Amino acid sequence: MNNYLNQLNPEQKKAVQHIEGPVMVIAGAGSGKTRVLTYRIVHLLKNNISPFSILALTFTNKAAKEMRNRIEEIVGSSIASSLWMGTFHSVFSRILRIEADKLNYPQNFTIYDTEDSKSLIRSIIKEFDLDKDHYKVSVVLNRISSLKNNFITSKNYSKYHELIQTDKIAKRPEFERIYRAYDQRCVKASAMDFDDLLINTYLLLDNFPQALLKYQNKFQHILIDEYQDTNHVQYLIIKKLAALNENICVVGDDAQSIYSFRGAKIENILNFKNDYPDLKSYKLEQNYRSTATIVETANSLIGFNENQIQKTVWTENEKGEKIIVCKCNSDSDEGRLVANTIFEIKYREQVHEKDFAILYRTNAQSRAIEEALRKKNIPYKIYGGLSFYQRKEIKDILAYCRLTINPNDEEALKRIINYPARGIGQTTIQKLITVSNNMNISIWHLINNLSEFDHGINKGTSNKISDFSAQINSYISQSEKYDAYFLAEHIAKSSGVFNDLYNDKSPEGVSRFENIQELLNGLKDFCENNEENLLANYMQDVALLTNQDNEKKEDFNKVTLMTVHAAKGLEFPYVFVVGLEQNLFPSLLASDSQENLEEERRLFYVAITRAEKRLFLSHTTNRFRWGNYIFCEPSQFLSEIDEKFIIKKEAETKKEKKRPNRFDFKKSFKKIEQKLTPPKGFKKIKPGSHNTPIVSSDLSIIKNGMSVKHAKFGKGKIIEISGENFDKKATIFFENIGQKQLLLRFAKLEIL
């Protein structure tokens, strides 16, 4: 595929071919950003740049995998596999494992996920006997994460008097003590959380000049995706790594900077030119994703932001239909509106559930939507739900694996020391924690040397603890001999977890057992596709997986429900953005500053630009919140969209709908049918137009065995009729495409 440059437009080609010096690529929504990054790497390789000297950083494993696959198609898998490509966290953890001894960590350090961190903080709050209402676990963890992202560590926190004062006002005077204990316990457990992966990488480069020079020489070309989402620590690391060669290319869109709550700094992209005076900038402004109406709608909105890099996104795509803005009486009416519209578009246009996405500002809004979808029997999935690797049974097995690789891992040990039940109760575990903290030793060291310490645990329980440590030691001795699949299966069976789940014959128990089988399948696949197939290698990979990396195939053809934040980077033919009301979207929290309001506007811009063909916006006059209906005003963002791009509608309310008269069904049926022709509350269809469905009198003459013709699928034969009245369906075998099931009132069949 040597003609890769021919697949680029002029501006994309310039960005790909300019391979020396600092480059910034401002990529509008749907402008082919991934293609430019991919082909830029290919172009470097074609110009004899070693793949080992190319560093490409992304924010998701999915993006890195997609790029690597595209590169493999052009240059081959052996070259592509030599690239240093992955998420910030995966690449930096790889560096840290190589250089771990410099930071007094073992190479097999554990990576704590959010739940591990919460569990540790919960333990510390309990040990310090602090008020759980003032020291909420999630609040404490978010504050620690925010501080780390701004490079405020537990060691230098005491220098920031304003932060200490803020903690006192919030009735959290012991926060610094918790933060310090949290860091100390992570170190004692040979563990790093996700933020530590960044901070420790910076400390490595800052404190060890030889290590810095090593990686500056190694990474002669650096490429960064979604640069607008980088935080302060990421910015500092990148600046250090690029300082020697300055062959750095950042790609991003300031108009899609929406993660300030995670520490992202839009200033990193806005001020990039200040760090590199010789910077060459390119703007990718041609949108390949959306209709012209959607693109221009997004432009009209984002134009209200003052703090931005000016660009004008355009497209050669068709004009497309106007944006529907619908006012609903309540969130229940809004849910029914969306469900009815999806139902009717699906059958009228013969599209799939996977083509639809419903976006909202907060997760709580999904309730009314879910209820309406269930009533219409429309399958859906909530994106960003519980990850496969966060399920209890999976975390239990992985905790055994973690402890086998790193026996100092305190959170893993606490999780499984009494699972399956072996008579080591919570009181005993607390005694172990207390002694280990007082002696500043790991719990693992303690339970391997119980007789040497005064712990107050009776002989019977001590024997059970010794049996547990012997079991884990046996796994440790096998960890270098056997591959990950063999060892994990052995652990699952010999630990008793396998039997515990197998004996639970409830539907939930069966599902949990199947999940363990699926985990083992994944381990087997890992071993078959990796030369380094020991359990330690697998655990390094799995620690960095996200929800997106484990989407189940059976969830594929479903309507997607998600927050707008979760939707970034995705696209769908039909998009519904619900809840466009003041103090909801934009959020009430955005009203305190122009900066926050502009981020909310960027968030709405992201929502709009997810749509390819059709976009539906809705708001309610009343919304059920905090146990009551509250009056809602339309979002100010709706008034910022140029009116020439929209059509305003009002949705039916439930009380306006009339029930069919049970004694005069035919007459009532015709009235209902006439209402069902267009999507409810949306576009009206003129009689006799292309979208006019079969009228009720026509339905009665459709029979099994008839030869028919469909405008899209061609000639076919009816092999089955099912359902009644306006839900009547026909299963038809078409000559060209095979079997299809169509809703007759929308099928527009011609009888031959």
Side-chain angles (χ1 to χ4, degrees):
M1 197 171 162
N2 293 319
N3 63 341
Y4 61 93
L5 291 175
N6 296 334
Q7 300 182 36
L8 302 169
N9 67 36
E11 199 68 10
Q12 289 175 333
K13 188 180 289 187
K14 289 177 187 175
V16 165
Q17 292 180 306
H18 189 118
I19 59 176
E20 295 293 332
V23 172
M24 179 168 67
V25 181
I26 300 300
S31 63
K33 166 178 68 70
T34 304
R35 173 171 289 194
V36 167
L37 264 176
T38 303
Y39 288 177
R40 184 178 170 86
I41 293 171
V42 169
H43 197 65
L44 287 169
L45 296 169
K46 294 288 186 181
N47 281 269
N48 299 317
I49 304 297
S50 167
F52 296 100
S53 67
I54 298 173
L55 172 63
L57 297 171
T58 68
F59 274 87
T60 67
N61 293 297
K62 184 178 178 183
K65 185 177 180 180
E66 182 183 343
M67 285 171 59
R68 192 183 295 276
N69 288 342
R70 291 193 194 183
I71 293 168
E72 278 184 7
E73 291 174 4
I74 303 173
V75 301
S77 59
S78 61
I79 295 177
S81 63
S82 301
L83 294 163
W84 277 66
M85 177 183 290
T87 64
F88 283 86
H89 294 95
S90 66
V91 170
F92 293 167
S93 68
R94 185 177 169 187
I95 291 172
L96 289 171
R97 290 193 191 281
I98 295 171
E99 311 291 345
D101 60 312
K102 292 182 175 64
L103 299 172
N104 296 318
Y105 272 88
Q107 280 192 325
N108 59 356
F109 63 82
T110 296
I111 298 173
Y112 276 178
D113 64 16
T114 302
E115 290 308 311
D116 295 321
S117 295
K118 284 184 176 179
S119 175
L120 177 53
I121 290 170
R122 193 175 292 111
S123 296
I124 292 169
I125 290 170
K126 184 178 180 181
E127 290 163 26
F128 289 177
D129 196 24
L130 299 174
D131 187 337
K132 289 185 290 186
D133 291 332
H134 290 152
Y135 295 90
K136 289 184 168 62
V137 172
S138 58
V139 172
V140 171
L141 178 58
N142 288 340
R143 185 156 173 77
I144 288 174
S145 179
S146 176
L147 292 169
K148 286 185 177 182
N149 285 333
N150 287 285
F151 211 75
I152 301 172
T153 65
S154 59
K155 291 180 180 178
N156 62 18
Y157 179 83
S158 58
K159 298 176 183 177
Y160 295 86
H161 300 295
E162 283 187 20
L163 295 176
I164 295 171
Q165 192 60 33
T166 301
D167 287 329
K168 288 180 180 178
I169 294 171
K171 298 183 178 178
R172 291 192 300 266
E174 296 292 321
F175 172 78
E176 183 183 359
R177 186 179 167 209
I178 296 172
Y179 189 7
R180 197 163 52 245
Y182 173 79
D183 272 357
Q184 290 168 351
R185 294 277 279 275
C186 283
V187 171
K188 190 172 73 171
S190 300
M192 299 186 199
D193 63 22
F194 269 46
D195 298 313
D196 290 332
L197 295 176
L198 303 182
I199 282 190
N200 287 333
T201 300
Y202 178 81
L203 291 174
L204 172 72
L205 301 177
D206 194 50
N207 295 334
F208 298 90
Q210 289 301 317
L212 173 61
L213 188 60
K214 171 184 173 180
Y215 290 104
Q216 285 178 335
N217 283 318
K218 180 174 183 57
F219 301 133
Q220 294 178 24
H221 289 268
I222 300 173
L223 302 93
I224 301 152
D225 190 17
E226 304 286 12
Y227 189 67
Q228 77 280 350
D229 293 336
T230 52
N231 61 34
H232 185 57
V233 183
Q234 288 164 328
Y235 162 79
L236 292 174
I237 294 169
I238 293 160
K239 191 176 179 184
K240 276 187 173 294
L241 288 174
L244 185 63
N245 298 297
E246 291 199 351
N247 291 328
I248 179 171
C249 172
V250 301
V251 181
D253 182 7
D254 59 295
Q256 296 186 64
S257 178
I258 59 173
Y259 292 124
S260 66
F261 67 96
R262 292 183 190 168
K265 300 285 187 184
I266 191 174
E267 294 81 11
N268 291 350
I269 195 166
L270 294 177
N271 301 328
F272 188 68
K273 60 186 175 185
N274 296 340
D275 290 327
Y276 303 96
D278 298 332
L279 177 72
K280 180 65 178 176
S281 295
Y282 299 95
K283 294 180 181 179
L284 308 183
E285 297 173 302
Q286 183 175 359
N287 180 294
Y288 293 94
R289 175 189 301 156
S290 308
T291 65
T293 298
I294 292 171
V295 168
E296 290 170 17
T297 296
N299 285 344
S300 71
L301 171 84
I302 203 65
F304 282 83
N305 271 12
E306 295 178 8
N307 200 19
Q308 63 174 306
I309 297 171
Q310 292 298 324
K311 61 181 175 299
T312 303
V313 181
W314 58 276
T315 186
E316 292 180 345
N317 293 344
E318 64 178 355
K319 184 177 181 180
E321 299 189 51
K322 288 191 175 183
I323 313 304
I324 303 297
V325 178
C326 196
K327 181 171 77 173
C328 307
N329 185 55
S330 67
D331 46 359
S332 297
D333 287 335
E334 184 178 49
R336 280 190 293 275
L337 168 78
V338 172
N340 288 334
T341 306
I342 290 173
F343 182 84
E344 298 189 18
I345 289 176
K346 178 182 181 300
Y347 284 108
R348 189 179 64 237
E349 300 186 16
Q350 293 298 304
V351 294
H352 301 284
E353 281 89 357
K354 67 180 180 180
D355 295 327
F356 297 89
I358 304 167
L359 310 181
Y360 35 76
R361 181 63 181 82
T362 65
N363 281 305
Q365 291 170 253
S366 75
R367 180 196 58 79
I369 305 292
E370 289 185 71
E371 287 180 5
L373 292 174
R374 282 198 296 267
K375 286 176 182 177
K376 298 292 287 186
N377 291 319
I378 297 173
Y380 66 89
K381 63 175 178 179
I382 297 182
Y383 193 95
L386 188 65
S387 163
F388 177 81
Y389 294 99
Q390 292 298 327
R391 299 179 191 278
K392 179 187 180 301
E393 60 277 11
I394 301 302
K395 284 188 74 76
D396 289 338
I397 289 291
L398 292 180
Y400 272 99
C401 295
R402 280 168 47 177
L403 201 59
T404 300
I405 303 307
N406 172 21
N408 289 328
D409 187 339
E410 181 178 316
E411 290 308 306
L413 188 146
K414 288 192 300 184
R415 185 179 189 93
I416 49 120
I417 192 170
N418 197 41
Y419 177 74
R422 48 177 61 92
I424 305 173
Q426 195 57 47
T427 302
T428 299
I429 294 171
Q430 194 55 52
K431 287 179 180 178
L432 293 172
I433 293 171
T434 301
V435 174
S436 71
N437 288 341
N438 291 340
M439 302 299 295
N440 195 28
I441 57 174
S442 69
I443 299 178
W444 177 249
H445 180 78
L446 173 60
I447 68 175
N448 272 280
N449 302 276
L450 271 178
S451 60
E452 299 177 12
F453 297 93
D454 181 14
H455 45 66
I457 299 171
N458 64 51
K459 186 176 181 181
T461 305
S462 294
N463 290 337
K464 292 170 184 175
I465 293 171
S466 296
D467 290 344
F468 171 73
S469 67
Q471 186 179 45
I472 300 300
N473 275 314
S474 74
Y475 300 152
I476 293 171
S477 67
Q478 297 170 36
S479 63
E480 295 292 327
K481 300 176 184 176
Y482 302 107
D483 66 40
Y485 171 72
F486 178 90
L487 185 56
E489 185 180 43
H490 172 64
I491 289 172
K493 291 178 177 177
S494 62
S495 66
V497 173
F498 211 76
N499 281 341
D500 186 61
L501 295 174
Y502 180 77
N503 292 330
D504 184 353
K505 299 303 181 184
S506 67
E508 295 81 7
V510 171
S511 176
R512 285 193 288 268
F513 184 73
E514 288 173 348
N515 285 337
I516 294 295
Q517 295 281 18
E518 184 59 33
L519 176 67
L520 293 175
N521 289 340
L523 275 151
K524 193 166 190 176
D525 184 62
F526 172 82
C527 290
E528 289 174 353
N529 290 285
N530 290 273
E531 290 183 13
E532 296 181 348
N533 58 14
L534 295 177
L535 187 61
N537 303 111
Y538 174 78
M539 293 306 295
Q540 289 175 25
D541 282 358
V542 80
L544 295 160
L545 291 177
T546 65
N547 292 7
Q548 293 182 39
D549 304 313
N550 197 63
E551 189 173 270
K552 291 188 175 181
K553 290 180 181 177
E554 60 263 31
D555 286 345
F556 187 61
N557 192 29
K558 294 182 180 180
V559 174
T560 301
L561 277 67
M562 64 173 84
T563 63
V564 183
H565 280 103
K568 186 166 173 287
L570 304 176
E571 55 191 46
F572 303 88
Y574 304 89
V575 170
F576 297 80
V577 187
V578 299
L580 281 158
E581 295 133 35
Q582 206 63 16
N583 297 331
L584 180 57
F585 200 177
S587 162
L588 178 63
L589 299 175
S591 60
D592 62 348
S593 72
Q594 181 67 21
E595 183 181 28
N596 289 341
L597 181 62
E598 290 203 355
E599 174 149 335
E600 286 287 303
R601 190 176 286 112
R602 293 194 295 269
L603 188 61
F604 186 33
Y605 176 86
V606 167
I608 291 172
T609 54
R610 297 314 92 198
E612 297 172 354
K613 290 177 62 176
R614 297 291 307 277
L615 176 64
F616 305 90
L617 310 176
S618 60
H619 62 98
T620 70
T621 53
N622 298 280
R623 185 170 292 277
F624 196 72
R625 298 178 77 181
W626 308 297
N628 294 295
Y629 276 104
I630 61 169
F631 175 75
C632 305
E633 293 183 0
S635 168
Q636 69 182 81
F637 296 153
L638 291 175
S639 63
E640 293 172 358
I641 297 174
D642 193 320
E643 290 204 354
K644 68 183 179 184
F645 301 126
I646 64 176
I647 297 175
K648 294 182 179 180
K649 299 285 184 181
E650 287 198 27
E652 286 185 337
T653 61
K654 190 175 182 180
K655 62 184 179 182
E656 291 171 348
K657 296 179 181 177
K658 296 180 181 179
R659 293 181 179 273
N661 187 318
R662 62 185 295 186
F663 299 109
D664 192 4
F665 184 81
K666 287 185 179 180
K667 183 177 180 181
S668 299
F669 172 71
K670 288 182 180 179
K671 290 181 179 179
I672 294 168
E673 190 176 50
Q674 289 166 4
K675 285 185 179 181
L676 284 170
T677 301
K680 286 185 173 50
F682 288 139
K683 185 178 176 183
K684 293 181 179 179
I685 301 169
K686 296 178 182 178
S689 71
H690 175 72
N691 288 319
T692 304
I694 285 178
V695 295
S696 59
S697 58
D698 293 326
L699 295 179
S700 61
I701 64 173
I702 302 294
K703 305 291 184 186
N704 280 348
M706 277 186 170
S707 294
V708 294
K709 185 177 181 181
H710 186 273
K712 182 177 180 181
F713 305 130
K715 293 180 181 179
K717 187 173 184 178
I718 296 176
I719 57 176
E720 186 184 0
I721 300 288
S722 60
E724 295 180 353
N725 304 321
F726 53 85
D727 283 328
K728 205 169 188 178
K729 299 173 185 175
T731 302
I732 307 171
F733 186 88
F734 290 102
E735 295 173 1
N736 296 327
I737 64 165
Q739 190 169 304
K740 283 270 186 184
Q741 190 179 67
L742 306 177
L743 197 65
L744 281 178
R745 61 192 170 91
F746 290 121
K748 302 182 283 293
L749 296 175
E750 179 185 342
I751 299 171
L752 300 178

